[in-house]
Structure formats: C-alpha cells, structure tokens
C-alpha cells in the first residue's frame, strides 16, 4: 500500500513529468480512471452534479464530466469557487464544448436533484477553514439523497492531518489518486471518505 503526504504526492507528480509524462496527462488519467469506475457502478444513477473548484481537483472533475456526457449521462457542472480556473482546468473546460452539459451558478447548483454528486472542489492540498459559501454548499450537498463521490479527498478534510471542517463533504466513495493519503487511514475516514478506492494514474 502506497501512502503519500500532499508534499510527497507533488514530488511524485514532478518525477512522473520528468520521466516523460505531463501534468495534462496525469489529470486525464485521474479523470478517466474515476469515470470508468463510476461507469461500472452506474446502475440506474445517470444524473450527475459535479462541484468544481478553480484548481486541478476541479480539472479532474471536468475530465469526468466529458467522459460521462459521452456515455449519455445527464451532467451538470458548477464552479463553486468562481471561474478563474487553473490553466489545466480551463483546457478541460474548453474540451466540453459541444457536449450536452449544463452549467449552474453556485447559488443554484443544488436546485437540481442529482443521483450522484461529485466533489472536485479542493483536493489533497486543502488546509485551514472553508469559506462560508463552500460550507453552505457542502451542508446542502450532505443532506441531498444522492450517492456522493469525492476526488482524492473530501473537501474540508486535511489529507495530511485528518483535521476536518464541520461541513466536510461526506462521501460514499472516495477515489484516492495514485496512493492513499494519511487521512485515508485514520478513523475520520470512516465518516467522510466511505469506500476508498485507490486508482492508478501513472505515478509510481
């Protein structure tokens, strides 16, 4: 079992890029791996709301949005931290052009009633206190009767220390990219991570 802190994960990403991969490819690998697992579990759950942050965790969510839309899912995306996206997230947003994907403002994102909610807001780099606007969205997301999926780490949970916000996203499934993070192995994971699935994304 591989367990990496957030800093170790960044080092392994850099090493993968130096060995010939790219950050773009690693994001594609992460989103594709998560999407393929979602497809295997889909049963009748075909409507998906993806909550995206501005950074690369949100970019992973946009890759998933593209794949699921191509498979006929009803996909809605909301940029809950604003639309000033990282370069890789912006690239993957542009790849959604022409696909039947809906976009909702943060204030409206849970006006839909999805069967699946995907948390791509903050990943392993989260620390500190969540903004009140994000707390409100997560509070509502945790009350919706839907399958909840976290990408790498539920938003509000510090992947290194296990510290968590009162409104941390409560996932039924958490996809750990490349390796488990320390918090995945802590008692707190039972409450917020649900089933933890470690996915190969091309990082040693």
């Amino acid at each position: 079992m591989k367990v990496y802190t957030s800093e170790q994960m960044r080092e392994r990403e850099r090493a993968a890029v130096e060995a010939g991969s790219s950050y773009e490819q690693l994001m594609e690998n992460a989103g594709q791996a998560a999407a393929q697992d979602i497809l295997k579990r889909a049963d009748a759950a075909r409507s998906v709301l993806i909550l995206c942050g501005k950074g690369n965790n949100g970019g992973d969510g946009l890759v998933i949005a593209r794949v699921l839309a191509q498979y006929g899912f009803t996909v809605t995306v909301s940029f809950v931290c604003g639309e000033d996206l990282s370069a890789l997230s912006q690239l993957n947003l542009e790849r959604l052009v022409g696909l039947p994907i809906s976009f909702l403002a943060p204030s409206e994102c849970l006006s839909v009633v999805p069967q699946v909610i995907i948390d791509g807001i903050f990943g392993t780099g989260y620390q500190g206190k969540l903004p009140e606007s994000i707390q409100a969205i997560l509070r509502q997301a945790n009350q919706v009767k839907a399958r909840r999926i976290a990408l790498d780490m539920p938003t509000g949970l510090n992947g290194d220390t296990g510290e968590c916000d009162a409104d941390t996203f409560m996932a039924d499934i958490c996809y750990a990219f490349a390796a488990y993070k320390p918090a995945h192995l802590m008692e707190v994971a039972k409450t917020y991570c649900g089933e933890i699935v470690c996915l190969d994304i091309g990082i040693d």
Side-chain angles (χ1 to χ4, degrees):
M1 178 186 291
K2 293 185 293 185
V3 182
Y4 294 156
T5 65
S6 57
E7 179 55 35
Q8 288 170 331
M9 188 67 189
R10 285 190 288 271
E11 291 172 0
R12 298 315 303 163
E13 288 174 345
R14 284 194 293 269
V17 170
E18 289 169 2
S21 187
S22 66
Y23 290 107
E24 178 184 347
Q25 187 60 56
L26 294 176
M27 180 176 288
E28 183 70 19
N29 293 351
Q32 289 279 355
Q36 292 305 316
D37 193 78
I38 291 168
L39 288 169
K40 286 193 296 186
R41 300 167 182 262
D43 48 62
R46 309 284 295 185
S47 65
V48 180
L49 169 65
I50 305 178
L51 304 174
C52 292
K54 296 189 291 186
N56 290 345
N57 199 239
D60 297 335
L62 294 174
V63 175
I64 294 169
R66 169 167 33 95
V67 176
L68 296 185
Q70 290 168 340
Y71 276 88
F73 279 60
T74 300
V75 179
T76 302
V77 171
S78 183
F79 294 106
V80 298
C81 299
E83 298 183 19
D84 181 20
L85 306 180
S86 70
L88 283 179
S89 293
Q90 182 64 38
L91 176 64
N92 278 290
L93 174 60
E94 292 165 5
R95 289 173 175 167
L96 302 185
V97 172
L99 291 173
I101 293 174
S102 301
F103 294 87
L104 285 177
S107 60
E108 301 173 335
C109 66
L110 284 157
S111 62
V112 300
V113 183
Q115 294 165 310
V116 179
I117 300 175
I118 298 177
D119 164 24
I121 305 175
F122 300 130
T124 54
Y126 164 79
Q127 56 184 343
K129 184 175 175 59
L130 290 175
E132 288 185 11
S133 60
I134 302 300
Q135 289 177 333
I137 289 170
L138 295 182
R139 198 175 306 130
Q140 193 173 354
N142 285 336
Q143 294 171 353
V144 172
K145 187 177 181 181
R147 181 181 298 166
R148 286 183 289 273
I149 296 173
L151 304 182
D152 221 9
M153 190 62 58
T155 291
L157 178 60
N158 184 308
D160 290 339
T161 68
E163 294 176 274
C164 57
D165 189 274
D167 294 303
T168 295
F169 187 78
M170 298 181 70
D172 300 299
I173 302 166
C174 179
Y175 293 125
F177 294 137
Y180 294 91
K181 313 309 181 295
H184 289 143
L185 308 183
M186 298 179 187
E187 188 69 20
V188 70
K190 294 179 181 178
T191 300
Y192 296 109
C193 294
E195 177 188 357
I196 302 168
V197 180
C198 191
L199 298 175
D200 179 10
I201 66 168
I203 291 177
D204 293 331

